[in-house]
Amino acid sequence: MSDIAQISEWPDYSTNPRGGDPITQDLTSPYDKGDLAWMAVCTILCWQITPAVGFLYAGMHRRKAALTMVFQSLFCACACGIQFWLYGYSLYQSRPTNPMLGNLSLGVLHNVLAYPSLANSDIPDLVYACFGFTFVTATAMILAGAMLERGRLMPSMVFLLCWTTFVYYVLAYFEWNPNGWLYKLGVLDFAGSGPVHIASGFGALAWSMLLGPRLSDSPLSSRKKIAHFKPHNPTLLTLGTILIWFGWFAFNGGSTANMSLRSIYVMINTNLAACGGGLGWPLFEYIHNRKISIVGFCSGIISGLVGITPAAGFVPVYVAALIGFLTSICSFYTKKFSYLISVDEGLDIWAIHGMGGYVGDILTGFFAASWVPALDGVTGNSSPGGWWERNWIQMGYQLAGATTCAAWSFGVSCILLFIINKIPGMHLRATKEDEIRGLDYKYFDDAECEIMGESGTLEGVRVQYPLDGTNRQQTKQ
């Protein structure tokens, strides 16, 4: 066996983008094993956020369309994962000099190996790529809820892949690549409020507007009025929320891209914001209705997580709960008065993620402290702090970043939806018959149950919903 040399200095990137020769050099030696282990664990925990969102949405749906949401979560995990490998990572983490978008130099993760990542020189490109694919799959799944019981499956999947290409990766380049124009401007977005929450929220608003309101099961229903339905399974909704909260420790904590005091600080901020949001929404729900709900409690927790996403690595712990509380209140009132724009956005994606992310960006600009980022042992004095450290212009940067993400996502989403809807066979809205019967029974053979027959044995049945919404009929197989 030949001697394995240690890496003492990285070669020029243009000469060797892989960082060295793994046969003759130990490409792991320059990196701290603790950082690598931390990022690996965070990747694993982040991945389960995508199916967790599927469980959350399934619980909030009516039963006849719940399975569709579980399927969409696995579709996002698979299809967006392949897309990320083919060209997604390259679009936002390649090293061009333009301020708008990356190139395809890292397509199929070509040359992605040991060279220090753009996110943090403490970890290699390969590790950051591994962590990054969990973000795009979760973002796509957040957006997928906008099809809410009335969107056709195939056109919806096409739209999701187009959306991640032209919205998510573009905004991720703007904010996370050192060459991106929002990054250079000085926008503070620790873990992805713009590309993840604001973008998915305003994309969901555009999608909901195009699809129109859901139909009720009444034969007298029309698409002109918004029907309101209660979640069919609050327990499944709660389970989804628990898993999202659990995964968000890694979603935010891993965004430090190393294992440091800042990572621990970020997790504390994440938890406190979720606590503040979980108390804020039910409080105002009780003020208005004299009752609280599991849906409202879970919505408040998620609102708090959304609000702290851009702020977790920039603000002191003593304002984290306040950020979650304020974000949940803004999301609550956005939901409460959303009827004014006559959009059936029954999962509150725009209210919680779109407006919650927007508010979180602004609060980040207000509360950011220059010493918090320095806890990573790398940043030093390069972070300017926010409004309350007299860096007045930071609020302007935050407004510019949040507004850019909202406008880009909404505008591009409208264009993509219009084009896809005009392609023959790709109309986005399900037929009246399929919608009333249920998307699960349109698309999935699994949409069956078992009942006890007269003989005492289990007999398979397929549940069928009549088109007029009357009593359901059970047909033996």
Side-chain angles (χ1 to χ4, degrees):
M1 295 179 60
S2 60
D3 292 334
I4 303 298
Q6 302 296 305
I7 296 289
S8 58
E9 183 179 358
W10 295 110
D12 184 79
Y13 183 82
S14 59
T15 303
N16 191 340
R18 291 164 58 88
D21 180 4
I23 296 177
T24 60
Q25 296 174 302
D26 179 5
L27 301 183
T28 308
S29 60
Y31 297 110
D32 184 272
K33 300 300 190 298
D35 292 340
L36 301 184
W38 170 246
M39 295 304 297
V41 170
C42 286
T43 298
I44 295 168
L45 297 181
C46 273
W47 181 89
Q48 59 86 43
I49 292 175
T50 301
V53 175
F55 294 152
L56 171 71
Y57 287 172
M60 294 184 73
H61 274 60
R62 285 179 289 175
R63 172 177 283 182
K64 62 183 181 179
L67 189 60
T68 305
M69 282 293 99
V70 177
F71 168 82
Q72 279 286 42
S73 70
L74 297 179
F75 168 80
C76 290
C78 294
C80 294
I82 294 295
Q83 180 194 52
F84 183 88
W85 166 68
L86 285 173
Y87 62 85
Y89 182 73
S90 187
L91 287 183
Y92 82 103
Q93 280 296 303
S94 55
R95 291 167 166 82
T97 57
N98 73 82
M100 298 301 292
L101 189 63
N103 55 34
L104 298 179
S105 61
L106 302 180
V108 296
L109 298 186
H110 176 65
N111 285 332
V112 176
L113 195 59
Y115 207 85
S117 168
L118 288 175
N120 192 332
S121 59
D122 287 349
I123 62 171
D125 268 338
L126 188 65
V127 172
Y128 192 69
C130 186
F131 182 62
F133 72 76
T134 63
F135 274 57
V136 65
T137 58
T139 305
M141 186 55 214
I142 293 170
L143 174 63
M147 65 181 287
L148 187 61
E149 301 179 359
R150 65 209 192 276
R152 294 179 65 228
L153 195 57
M154 181 58 69
S156 298
M157 294 188 292
V158 171
F159 170 66
L160 286 172
L161 291 174
C162 291
W163 186 90
T164 51
T165 300
F166 296 105
V167 177
Y168 176 83
Y169 289 121
V170 172
L171 295 179
Y173 184 86
F174 285 178
E175 289 205 350
W176 294 336
N177 192 296
N179 297 305
W181 75 274
L182 288 178
Y183 185 100
K184 289 185 174 180
L185 183 67
V187 173
L188 301 179
D189 186 356
F190 179 70
S193 176
V196 177
H197 296 298
I198 297 176
S200 62
F202 279 85
L205 177 63
W207 198 352
S208 300
M209 291 174 65
L210 182 137
L211 289 175
R214 286 170 288 173
L215 300 172
S216 72
D217 290 340
S218 169
L220 302 177
S221 66
S222 70
R223 295 184 181 180
K224 295 182 179 180
K225 295 183 179 180
I226 299 177
H228 298 280
F229 306 100
K230 288 188 176 182
H232 93 278
N233 193 331
T235 302
L236 188 58
L237 181 158
T238 305
L239 174 63
T241 302
I242 291 169
L243 293 176
I244 290 170
W245 190 347
F246 175 64
W248 224 261
F249 285 107
F251 191 94
N252 285 350
S255 294
T256 56
N258 67 5
M259 182 65 241
S260 61
L261 282 177
R262 192 185 189 191
S263 306
I264 307 303
Y265 207 85
V266 164
M267 290 194 292
I268 295 173
N269 278 343
T270 299
N271 190 61
L272 288 173
C275 296
L279 296 178
W281 190 300
L283 173 62
F284 281 79
E285 196 174 45
Y286 183 80
I287 290 172
H288 285 277
N289 305 325
R290 295 304 174 194
K291 285 186 177 182
I292 62 173
S293 67
I294 288 293
V295 176
F297 190 61
C298 291
S299 297
I301 290 171
I302 295 174
S303 297
L305 294 173
V306 170
I308 202 63
T309 295
F314 295 109
V315 301
V317 292
Y318 41 84
V319 299
L322 177 61
I323 289 174
F325 184 83
L326 294 175
T327 304
S328 70
I329 293 174
C330 292
S331 296
F332 171 82
Y333 280 107
T334 301
K335 170 185 165 54
K336 183 174 179 60
F337 294 107
S338 61
Y339 70 90
L340 295 175
I341 60 175
S342 300
V343 175
D344 185 5
E345 213 271 293
L347 300 185
D348 307 321
I349 303 169
W350 174 58
I352 294 175
H353 295 274
M355 294 307 297
Y358 200 101
V359 170
D361 263 12
I362 295 172
L363 294 176
T364 301
F366 188 87
F367 289 117
S370 58
W371 59 270
V372 175
L375 293 172
D376 64 3
V378 177
T379 301
N381 63 355
S382 61
S383 183
W387 178 275
W388 71 347
E389 287 192 350
R390 301 181 182 275
N391 182 28
W392 316 117
I393 199 171
Q394 191 61 49
M395 289 291 284
Y397 294 156
Q398 297 303 112
L399 284 168
T403 303
T404 296
C405 293
W408 182 273
S409 179
F410 185 80
V412 174
S413 296
C414 287
I415 294 171
L416 292 174
L417 290 164
F418 178 81
I419 293 173
I420 292 171
N421 199 46
K422 292 297 183 182
I423 298 174
M426 296 294 289
H427 55 281
L428 291 158
R429 179 80 187 229
T431 65
K432 180 178 180 180
E433 292 78 11
D434 289 338
E435 183 178 346
I436 293 178
R437 183 171 180 241
L439 297 181
D440 288 359
Y441 303 98
K442 165 68 175 176
Y443 295 113
F444 302 109
D445 188 56
D446 311 81
E448 298 176 345
C449 65
E450 292 181 332
I451 63 171
M452 191 70 68
E454 294 180 359
S455 63
T457 59
L458 288 173
E459 299 179 359
V461 300
R462 182 185 301 277
V463 181
Q464 296 180 336
Y465 287 91
L467 299 183
D468 61 359
T470 56
N471 292 334
R472 116 176 96 175
Q473 174 185 358
Q474 294 178 335
T475 306
K476 293 185 180 181
Q477 298 280 300

